[in-house]
Amino acid sequence: MQKIFIPGQFEQDWVRMFTHLANLFFEQSKIVVEDQKDALTIEMNVRKDSGNVLLANAQLVYASTVYEASFSEKELLDAPEIEQSRQLKRVYSHVFLEVLEQFTDTKQSWGILTGIRPMKLYHKYRQLGYDSEGITELLMKNHRISKEKADLLATIEQVQLQAIPDLHNIQEEVSIYIGIPFCPTKCAYCTFPAYAIHRKNGRVESFLDGLHEEIREIGKWLTKRDKKITTIYFGGGTPTSIEAEEMDALYNTMYESFPYMKEVREVTVEAGRPDTITPEKIDVLKKWDIDRISVNPQSYTDETLKAIGRHHSVQETVDKFWLSRNMGMKNINMDLIIGLPNEGLHEFQHSLNETEKMQPESLTVHTLSFKTASEMTRNKDKYKVAGRETAEQMMQLGEQWTKENGYMPYYLYRQKNILGNLENVGYAKPGEESLYNIIIMEEVQSIIGLGCGASSKFMDPVTGKLTQFQNPKDPAAYILTFEEYIDKKIEHLEKIFPEVVQID
């Protein structure tokens, strides 16, 4: 662990900010409040000159070498207090990051951004009236983002607005996420609500009974309020872990309960594990006109799949893709992960070569993230993963391959403890983008989460304020409490969509 001493009195949220920035350079870091022999010392100050310009300076001295940084920005005199506070944090972050870049000889292409949704910042600047050139300049100057990453965000914005022209005007509609918490096995990197499926004690059946009731009750409320649904996404876990007849019954309840189903723009079922896909299940998807699914290889190396706990072979991924395609699935997504154990450039290039033979409509390139609760994080020494430079080269391979094969980037997000401080990027052939992925990442409307571990995000359509609400992650807890959670979700919906009373 790298300790960093910063002289001065900083509140806890400032300490968290500096810690997140330091973690970009060190596997683990800790900001300490008093000088320690084994701590790096970074001295910083911000002063204001006579022209109301904030002048920030930082200095790090190590082994007689001095690293210095400075940054200046016009003070936001007439801005709300919260904006002034954000500005002060930003100017401190600039010089803190720069001295650590000098000290470690590492350039952070995402600059001072540590949040997971950099596209939201891009959209914010666009809505403030800036053109593309102006936004790029702001991202580079105010946030230290590289030109390459700023250009990537600009491309994604264009694709998103082609896919959803009314992206910033759908706040009166909602989207639905339905979580099925079962998988054949749990992957080593996973922290999603996912439990190895078995039929003991009737927990699968009891869970589904509760989910049907949730769909009906939320459907009643949406129908009463005449609310349209933009997209519906079945995630998990693996939604195709349940039996074909159970899927059929669930989709039947969805169509009976939700209003304006013929106007829903997209329904996606994440059939992520190839070992759950059968002809009978594809027939059910076709029956309900669902043709957007995921068949996720993650890797095309059998040894890797075994190491991460995916109990299927590469050949099964290929076979189930072609089964899905030949049975009429017209929009198939695939996922690959950069930096899986014992994989380097050769293995990732092999995965891209195999993907090229299938040409899925979309491909999401994830970068491995060490999530706190995952098996891989708990036993980190057991898993040898790619270094920063190799991870960056793998990302570049993905960018080059998608461009050559006619894919465009359409959504992007980042995670804490992500390998190489990189990102996850969704690519798609033109017109084949997942609308749900865009909506959830850009947080432009309320998403109602149904099922085990499903997270709801209620967005006030006037203020844009977001309120999160989480269903229980454990199926046993969900079965006992789903009725209570239905009531709580409806309370949230009533607050953001109050009933309009007609006065005669």
Side-chain angles (χ1 to χ4, degrees), residues 222-249:
L222 293 172
T223 302
K224 179 184 174 185
R225 291 302 179 85
D226 202 33
K227 283 291 169 193
K228 287 186 177 181
I229 297 169
T230 311
T231 65
I232 300 171
Y233 191 98
F234 286 84
T238 305
T240 45
S241 292
I242 59 177
E243 299 299 323
E245 58 268 24
E246 292 170 331
M247 291 168 56
D248 186 41

Side-chain angles (χ1 to χ4, degrees), residues 79-92:
E81 187 177 338
I82 188 169
E83 289 299 325
Q84 292 180 358
S85 175
R86 286 172 181 163
Q87 181 184 38
L88 196 57
K89 286 181 177 181
R90 189 169 66 249
V91 297
Y92 268 103

Side-chain angles (χ1 to χ4, degrees), residues 368-384:
L368 183 66
S369 173
F370 286 95
K371 300 170 185 175
T372 306
S374 72
E375 152 69 17
M376 193 172 288
T377 302
R378 288 194 300 268
N379 296 286
K380 213 168 182 179
D381 294 342
K382 178 181 168 184
Y383 298 95
K384 184 183 177 184

Side-chain angles (χ1 to χ4, degrees), residues 101-384:
E101 284 184 332
Q102 293 175 24
F103 174 71
T104 61
D105 195 26
T106 303
K107 191 74 174 174
Q108 299 294 348
S109 57
W110 284 107
I112 62 173
L113 295 189
T114 57
I116 69 172
R117 290 180 171 84
M119 270 308 304
K120 281 194 71 176
L121 183 60
Y122 197 100
H123 285 296
K124 175 186 173 183
Y125 282 137
R126 176 69 76 193
Q127 290 178 294
L128 287 172
Y130 291 96
D131 61 14
S132 299
E133 188 177 327
I135 296 172
T136 296
E137 185 179 337
L138 283 169
L139 292 174
M140 294 175 67
K141 181 178 182 296
N142 288 1
H143 305 280
R144 294 182 63 86
I145 295 178
S146 71
K147 179 70 162 57
E148 177 191 19
K149 298 301 183 190
D151 289 345
L152 174 60
L153 297 181
T155 300
I156 290 173
E157 187 214 28
Q158 291 176 5
V159 178
Q160 288 184 346
L161 293 177
Q162 288 170 358
I164 313 177
D166 56 345
L167 182 64
H168 300 294
N169 297 293
I170 54 174
Q171 59 268 34
E172 291 292 341
E173 297 183 9
V174 301
S175 283
I176 306 288
Y177 175 86
I178 299 175
I180 311 292
F182 303 111
C183 276
T185 57
K186 186 153 184 171
C187 301
Y189 53 79
C190 181
T191 57
F192 287 105
Y195 299 85
I197 192 165
H198 57 72
R199 295 285 166 172
K200 294 178 183 177
N201 304 321
R203 73 170 183 166
V204 176
E205 293 80 1
S206 297
F207 160 74
L208 289 173
D209 287 344
L211 180 56
H212 278 273
E213 186 64 18
E214 247 199 312
I215 291 172
R216 290 190 193 101
E217 291 303 312
I218 294 300
K220 284 178 187 176
W221 190 91
L222 293 172
T223 302
K224 179 184 174 185
R225 291 302 179 85
D226 202 33
K227 283 291 169 193
K228 287 186 177 181
I229 297 169
T230 311
T231 65
I232 300 171
Y233 191 98
F234 286 84
T238 305
T240 45
S241 292
I242 59 177
E243 299 299 323
E245 58 268 24
E246 292 170 331
M247 291 168 56
D248 186 41
L250 203 55
Y251 305 151
N252 183 62
T253 297
M254 173 181 73
Y255 267 84
E256 286 182 343
S257 304
F258 290 153
Y260 304 112
M261 276 301 298
K262 289 184 178 179
E263 296 182 31
V264 174
R265 303 187 199 188
E266 172 188 273
V267 179
T268 300
V269 174
E270 194 173 292
R273 290 285 293 261
D275 40 344
T276 67
I277 299 172
T278 66
E280 294 77 16
K281 293 176 185 179
I282 297 174
D283 278 336
V284 170
L285 293 168
K286 287 178 64 183
K287 173 184 174 181
W288 296 102
D289 295 322
I290 299 169
D291 68 359
R292 190 178 196 286
I293 63 171
S294 293
V295 182
N296 293 338
Q298 314 299 22
S299 168
Y300 283 88
T301 301
D302 281 319
E303 291 79 4
T304 302
L305 296 178
K306 185 177 179 181
I308 62 177
R310 288 176 76 89
H311 291 186
H312 64 83
S313 65
V314 168
Q315 189 59 48
E316 187 166 14
T317 300
V318 175
D319 291 345
K320 294 303 174 65
F321 174 89
W322 288 115
L323 173 70
S324 303
R325 176 68 87 221
N326 293 333
M327 287 187 68
M329 292 293 105
K330 298 175 184 176
N331 192 334
I332 301 177
N333 174 74
M334 303 189 96
D335 286 1
L336 295 177
I337 301 179
I338 284 173
L340 287 171
N342 303 311
E343 289 209 346
L345 290 170
H346 174 77
E347 289 78 11
F348 187 63
Q349 183 65 64
H350 172 67
S351 290
L352 292 171
N353 293 343
E354 292 302 305
T355 305
E356 189 164 351
K357 297 173 184 176
M358 286 170 274
Q359 293 290 319
E361 280 64 37
S362 57
L363 177 72
T364 305
V365 179
H366 295 271
T367 305
L368 183 66
S369 173
F370 286 95
K371 300 170 185 175
T372 306
S374 72
E375 152 69 17
M376 193 172 288
T377 302
R378 288 194 300 268
N379 296 286
K380 213 168 182 179
D381 294 342
K382 178 181 168 184
Y383 298 95
K384 184 183 177 184

Side-chain angles (χ1 to χ4, degrees), residues 349-487:
Q349 183 65 64
H350 172 67
S351 290
L352 292 171
N353 293 343
E354 292 302 305
T355 305
E356 189 164 351
K357 297 173 184 176
M358 286 170 274
Q359 293 290 319
E361 280 64 37
S362 57
L363 177 72
T364 305
V365 179
H366 295 271
T367 305
L368 183 66
S369 173
F370 286 95
K371 300 170 185 175
T372 306
S374 72
E375 152 69 17
M376 193 172 288
T377 302
R378 288 194 300 268
N379 296 286
K380 213 168 182 179
D381 294 342
K382 178 181 168 184
Y383 298 95
K384 184 183 177 184
V385 300
R388 183 187 186 101
E389 186 176 340
T390 301
E392 288 175 351
Q393 291 172 345
M394 293 164 85
M395 179 63 77
Q396 289 165 4
L397 277 180
E399 291 171 0
Q400 180 182 342
W401 182 92
T402 50
K403 189 179 292 184
E404 290 172 354
N405 284 272
Y407 296 83
M408 293 289 287
Y410 77 97
Y411 83 105
L412 176 151
Y413 70 102
R414 305 176 67 228
Q415 293 170 287
K416 289 180 182 177
N417 304 317
I418 196 167
L419 203 63
N421 190 30
L422 291 169
E423 60 274 347
N424 305 308
V425 184
Y427 297 89
K429 300 273 178 91
E432 306 290 359
E433 302 83 7
S434 164
L435 307 186
Y436 176 84
N437 283 340
I438 296 172
I439 288 167
I440 192 170
M441 285 304 152
E442 308 319 326
E443 297 181 322
V444 290
Q445 68 173 191
S446 294
I447 295 178
I448 306 171
L450 311 178
C452 215
S455 178
S456 297
K457 283 190 177 181
F458 299 102
M459 190 193 87
D460 187 307
V462 177
T463 66
K465 181 182 177 183
L466 289 166
T467 303
Q468 287 190 289
F469 182 80
Q470 185 96 22
N471 271 9
K473 291 186 177 182
D474 180 69
Y478 174 84
I479 291 162
L480 291 173
T481 60
F482 72 88
E483 292 174 322
E484 173 191 343
Y485 280 77
I486 292 171
D487 291 340

Side-chain angles (χ1 to χ4, degrees), residues 472-503:
K473 291 186 177 182
D474 180 69
Y478 174 84
I479 291 162
L480 291 173
T481 60
F482 72 88
E483 292 174 322
E484 173 191 343
Y485 280 77
I486 292 171
D487 291 340
K488 288 181 178 178
K489 277 197 279 285
I490 289 175
E491 283 179 23
H492 281 292
L493 288 167
E494 295 279 1
K495 288 177 183 176
I496 61 172
F497 297 120
E499 191 169 13
V500 178
V501 178
Q502 298 291 338
I503 300 174

